[in-house]
Amino acid sequence: MTSRILMIVTSNARMGATGKPTGLWAEELAVPYYALADAGVEVTLASPAGGPAPVDPGSIKPVGQNDPVVERFLADTALQARIAATPKASEFDGAQFDAIFFPGGHGTMWDLPVDAGVTRAVERAFAAKKLIASVCHGAAGLVTAKRPDGQSIVKDLRVNSFTDAEEVAVGLEKVVPFMLETRLRELGGRFEGAGNWQAFAVRDGQLITGQNPQSSHLVAQELLKALRQA
């Protein structure tokens, strides 16, 4: 049977009150998307608001200057059309998928935590013992989801995301609405991380989380391995 993944990306194109452009990070969608799709996994894209999902302009260079997977993403007219017209996450029942995957990008910090459709999809998936994976700031999609017992889904589980040190390094610690590593720790997650910009991913039960763009491939491979074991 073909595995089905619900990949939820941000709808937010601005960094809070600064007005600076943001969105999803191209590599963090492209790497896992193609790793999954090329392995025969059926990927459904969605976003909190529906419609066009913004891509952070900082994650794309002129054509011909990007990593091969991003070049493939830019040239993939079918995928670009899907990103330009995403359905709302609230239209889907997370329990009906084998996994939910959150690519990152700073945009996620403003809309994933406050979208009821995203939270419900994650909670339904978690309660149904499905896998939940994220890369970098994609872990913002985990922070408001609760288990059936009312506890955070990350409580007592090893978890990872873009680290506070990395946020400080990019100078956005005063811009983001909260520090993601700190929030995951506050929720009871057993945060594990590597040095800045090092590839790192951790799996604990249903959760598979990775630290930064460099970790996209690790998360995708861990998710594929987990799907094969399911």
Side-chain angles (χ1 to χ4, degrees), residues 112-129:
L112 295 190
V114 299
D115 186 77
V118 171
T119 300
R120 185 169 60 250
V122 176
E123 290 179 341
R124 292 275 299 161
F126 194 90
K129 309 297 184 188

PDB file of all heavy atoms in Angstrom, residues 112-129:
ATOM      1  N   LEU A 112       1.623  28.655  11.944  1.00  0.00           N
ATOM      2  CA  LEU A 112       1.355  27.260  12.311  1.00  0.00           C
ATOM      3  C   LEU A 112       0.847  27.104  13.736  1.00  0.00           C
ATOM      4  O   LEU A 112      -0.092  26.340  13.972  1.00  0.00           O
ATOM      5  CB  LEU A 112       2.610  26.396  12.102  1.00  0.00           C
ATOM      6  CG  LEU A 112       3.120  26.209  10.675  1.00  0.00           C
ATOM      7  CD1 LEU A 112       4.214  25.143  10.637  1.00  0.00           C
ATOM      8  CD2 LEU A 112       1.997  25.858   9.705  1.00  0.00           C
ATOM      9  N   PRO A 113       1.427  27.808  14.733  1.00  0.00           N
ATOM     10  CA  PRO A 113       0.976  27.582  16.101  1.00  0.00           C
ATOM     11  C   PRO A 113      -0.449  28.059  16.386  1.00  0.00           C
ATOM     12  O   PRO A 113      -1.075  27.576  17.332  1.00  0.00           O
ATOM     13  CB  PRO A 113       1.984  28.376  16.946  1.00  0.00           C
ATOM     14  CG  PRO A 113       3.170  28.572  16.076  1.00  0.00           C
ATOM     15  CD  PRO A 113       2.607  28.690  14.691  1.00  0.00           C
ATOM     16  N   VAL A 114      -0.951  29.013  15.613  1.00  0.00           N
ATOM     17  CA  VAL A 114      -2.247  29.616  15.938  1.00  0.00           C
ATOM     18  C   VAL A 114      -3.368  29.154  15.014  1.00  0.00           C
ATOM     19  O   VAL A 114      -4.511  29.607  15.155  1.00  0.00           O
ATOM     20  CB  VAL A 114      -2.164  31.158  15.902  1.00  0.00           C
ATOM     21  CG1 VAL A 114      -1.167  31.651  16.937  1.00  0.00           C
ATOM     22  CG2 VAL A 114      -1.769  31.665  14.516  1.00  0.00           C
ATOM     23  N   ASP A 115      -3.072  28.250  14.105  1.00  0.00           N
ATOM     24  CA  ASP A 115      -4.100  27.783  13.172  1.00  0.00           C
ATOM     25  C   ASP A 115      -4.786  26.539  13.715  1.00  0.00           C
ATOM     26  O   ASP A 115      -4.153  25.504  13.923  1.00  0.00           O
ATOM     27  CB  ASP A 115      -3.493  27.485  11.798  1.00  0.00           C
ATOM     28  CG  ASP A 115      -4.561  27.131  10.784  1.00  0.00           C
ATOM     29  OD1 ASP A 115      -5.236  28.049  10.290  1.00  0.00           O
ATOM     30  OD2 ASP A 115      -4.755  25.931  10.522  1.00  0.00           O
ATOM     31  N   ALA A 116      -6.083  26.648  13.937  1.00  0.00           N
ATOM     32  CA  ALA A 116      -6.834  25.538  14.531  1.00  0.00           C
ATOM     33  C   ALA A 116      -6.817  24.304  13.639  1.00  0.00           C
ATOM     34  O   ALA A 116      -6.797  23.168  14.134  1.00  0.00           O
ATOM     35  CB  ALA A 116      -8.271  25.966  14.806  1.00  0.00           C
ATOM     36  N   GLY A 117      -6.814  24.508  12.326  1.00  0.00           N
ATOM     37  CA  GLY A 117      -6.797  23.376  11.404  1.00  0.00           C
ATOM     38  C   GLY A 117      -5.501  22.595  11.482  1.00  0.00           C
ATOM     39  O   GLY A 117      -5.499  21.358  11.430  1.00  0.00           O
ATOM     40  N   VAL A 118      -4.382  23.314  11.628  1.00  0.00           N
ATOM     41  CA  VAL A 118      -3.081  22.660  11.782  1.00  0.00           C
ATOM     42  C   VAL A 118      -3.041  21.885  13.091  1.00  0.00           C
ATOM     43  O   VAL A 118      -2.655  20.711  13.131  1.00  0.00           O
ATOM     44  CB  VAL A 118      -1.941  23.699  11.732  1.00  0.00           C
ATOM     45  CG1 VAL A 118      -0.616  23.054  12.121  1.00  0.00           C
ATOM     46  CG2 VAL A 118      -1.835  24.310  10.340  1.00  0.00           C
ATOM     47  N   THR A 119      -3.435  22.546  14.179  1.00  0.00           N
ATOM     48  CA  THR A 119      -3.408  21.891  15.488  1.00  0.00           C
ATOM     49  C   THR A 119      -4.272  20.633  15.492  1.00  0.00           C
ATOM     50  O   THR A 119      -3.851  19.577  15.988  1.00  0.00           O
ATOM     51  CB  THR A 119      -3.898  22.855  16.576  1.00  0.00           C
ATOM     52  OG1 THR A 119      -3.047  24.006  16.600  1.00  0.00           O
ATOM     53  CG2 THR A 119      -3.883  22.200  17.949  1.00  0.00           C
ATOM     54  N   ARG A 120      -5.450  20.738  14.914  1.00  0.00           N
ATOM     55  CA  ARG A 120      -6.354  19.583  14.893  1.00  0.00           C
ATOM     56  C   ARG A 120      -5.776  18.439  14.066  1.00  0.00           C
ATOM     57  O   ARG A 120      -5.864  17.267  14.459  1.00  0.00           O
ATOM     58  CB  ARG A 120      -7.720  19.989  14.344  1.00  0.00           C
ATOM     59  CG  ARG A 120      -8.763  18.860  14.413  1.00  0.00           C
ATOM     60  CD  ARG A 120     -10.158  19.368  14.107  1.00  0.00           C
ATOM     61  NE  ARG A 120     -10.256  19.956  12.769  1.00  0.00           N
ATOM     62  CZ  ARG A 120     -10.423  21.247  12.549  1.00  0.00           C
ATOM     63  NH1 ARG A 120     -10.498  22.103  13.558  1.00  0.00           N
ATOM     64  NH2 ARG A 120     -10.518  21.708  11.314  1.00  0.00           N
ATOM     65  N   ALA A 121      -5.164  18.762  12.934  1.00  0.00           N
ATOM     66  CA  ALA A 121      -4.573  17.715  12.090  1.00  0.00           C
ATOM     67  C   ALA A 121      -3.476  16.967  12.845  1.00  0.00           C
ATOM     68  O   ALA A 121      -3.386  15.735  12.789  1.00  0.00           O
ATOM     69  CB  ALA A 121      -4.012  18.330  10.805  1.00  0.00           C
ATOM     70  N   VAL A 122      -2.638  17.716  13.570  1.00  0.00           N
ATOM     71  CA  VAL A 122      -1.555  17.088  14.329  1.00  0.00           C
ATOM     72  C   VAL A 122      -2.120  16.250  15.470  1.00  0.00           C
ATOM     73  O   VAL A 122      -1.678  15.118  15.704  1.00  0.00           O
ATOM     74  CB  VAL A 122      -0.586  18.159  14.862  1.00  0.00           C
ATOM     75  CG1 VAL A 122       0.481  17.512  15.742  1.00  0.00           C
ATOM     76  CG2 VAL A 122       0.071  18.900  13.710  1.00  0.00           C
ATOM     77  N   GLU A 123      -3.076  16.799  16.183  1.00  0.00           N
ATOM     78  CA  GLU A 123      -3.655  16.061  17.314  1.00  0.00           C
ATOM     79  C   GLU A 123      -4.329  14.776  16.855  1.00  0.00           C
ATOM     80  O   GLU A 123      -4.199  13.725  17.504  1.00  0.00           O
ATOM     81  CB  GLU A 123      -4.643  16.950  18.061  1.00  0.00           C
ATOM     82  CG  GLU A 123      -3.966  18.073  18.825  1.00  0.00           C
ATOM     83  CD  GLU A 123      -4.938  18.977  19.556  1.00  0.00           C
ATOM     84  OE1 GLU A 123      -6.145  18.978  19.200  1.00  0.00           O
ATOM     85  OE2 GLU A 123      -4.501  19.705  20.459  1.00  0.00           O
ATOM     86  N   ARG A 124      -5.033  14.852  15.751  1.00  0.00           N
ATOM     87  CA  ARG A 124      -5.699  13.655  15.213  1.00  0.00           C
ATOM     88  C   ARG A 124      -4.670  12.615  14.784  1.00  0.00           C
ATOM     89  O   ARG A 124      -4.837  11.425  15.049  1.00  0.00           O
ATOM     90  CB  ARG A 124      -6.590  14.045  14.034  1.00  0.00           C
ATOM     91  CG  ARG A 124      -7.802  14.876  14.407  1.00  0.00           C
ATOM     92  CD  ARG A 124      -8.966  14.034  14.831  1.00  0.00           C
ATOM     93  NE  ARG A 124      -9.408  13.148  13.753  1.00  0.00           N
ATOM     94  CZ  ARG A 124     -10.149  12.052  13.931  1.00  0.00           C
ATOM     95  NH1 ARG A 124     -10.490  11.686  15.155  1.00  0.00           N
ATOM     96  NH2 ARG A 124     -10.508  11.312  12.902  1.00  0.00           N
ATOM     97  N   ALA A 125      -3.605  13.071  14.134  1.00  0.00           N
ATOM     98  CA  ALA A 125      -2.559  12.153  13.691  1.00  0.00           C
ATOM     99  C   ALA A 125      -1.861  11.508  14.887  1.00  0.00           C
ATOM    100  O   ALA A 125      -1.612  10.298  14.904  1.00  0.00           O
ATOM    101  CB  ALA A 125      -1.544  12.889  12.814  1.00  0.00           C
ATOM    102  N   PHE A 126      -1.534  12.318  15.884  1.00  0.00           N
ATOM    103  CA  PHE A 126      -0.828  11.791  17.051  1.00  0.00           C
ATOM    104  C   PHE A 126      -1.679  10.762  17.784  1.00  0.00           C
ATOM    105  O   PHE A 126      -1.190   9.685  18.159  1.00  0.00           O
ATOM    106  CB  PHE A 126      -0.435  12.927  17.995  1.00  0.00           C
ATOM    107  CG  PHE A 126       0.566  12.518  19.032  1.00  0.00           C
ATOM    108  CD1 PHE A 126       1.926  12.633  18.782  1.00  0.00           C
ATOM    109  CD2 PHE A 126       0.163  12.006  20.248  1.00  0.00           C
ATOM    110  CE1 PHE A 126       2.866  12.237  19.726  1.00  0.00           C
ATOM    111  CE2 PHE A 126       1.087  11.610  21.206  1.00  0.00           C
ATOM    112  CZ  PHE A 126       2.441  11.723  20.948  1.00  0.00           C
ATOM    113  N   ALA A 127      -2.951  11.076  17.972  1.00  0.00           N
ATOM    114  CA  ALA A 127      -3.850  10.152  18.670  1.00  0.00           C
ATOM    115  C   ALA A 127      -4.017   8.846  17.916  1.00  0.00           C
ATOM    116  O   ALA A 127      -4.250   7.791  18.526  1.00  0.00           O
ATOM    117  CB  ALA A 127      -5.211  10.816  18.894  1.00  0.00           C
ATOM    118  N   ALA A 128      -3.874   8.911  16.585  1.00  0.00           N
ATOM    119  CA  ALA A 128      -4.022   7.715  15.747  1.00  0.00           C
ATOM    120  C   ALA A 128      -2.694   6.979  15.561  1.00  0.00           C
ATOM    121  O   ALA A 128      -2.592   6.073  14.733  1.00  0.00           O
ATOM    122  CB  ALA A 128      -4.592   8.105  14.389  1.00  0.00           C
ATOM    123  N   LYS A 129      -1.670   7.390  16.337  1.00  0.00           N
ATOM    124  CA  LYS A 129      -0.350   6.730  16.300  1.00  0.00           C
ATOM    125  C   LYS A 129       0.358   6.903  14.967  1.00  0.00           C
ATOM    126  O   LYS A 129       1.156   6.056  14.555  1.00  0.00           O
ATOM    127  CB  LYS A 129      -0.475   5.239  16.625  1.00  0.00           C
ATOM    128  CG  LYS A 129      -1.237   4.923  17.887  1.00  0.00           C
ATOM    129  CD  LYS A 129      -0.555   5.488  19.115  1.00  0.00           C
ATOM    130  CE  LYS A 129      -1.278   5.080  20.400  1.00  0.00           C
ATOM    131  NZ  LYS A 129      -0.744   5.780  21.594  1.00  0.00           N
TER     132      LYS A 129
END
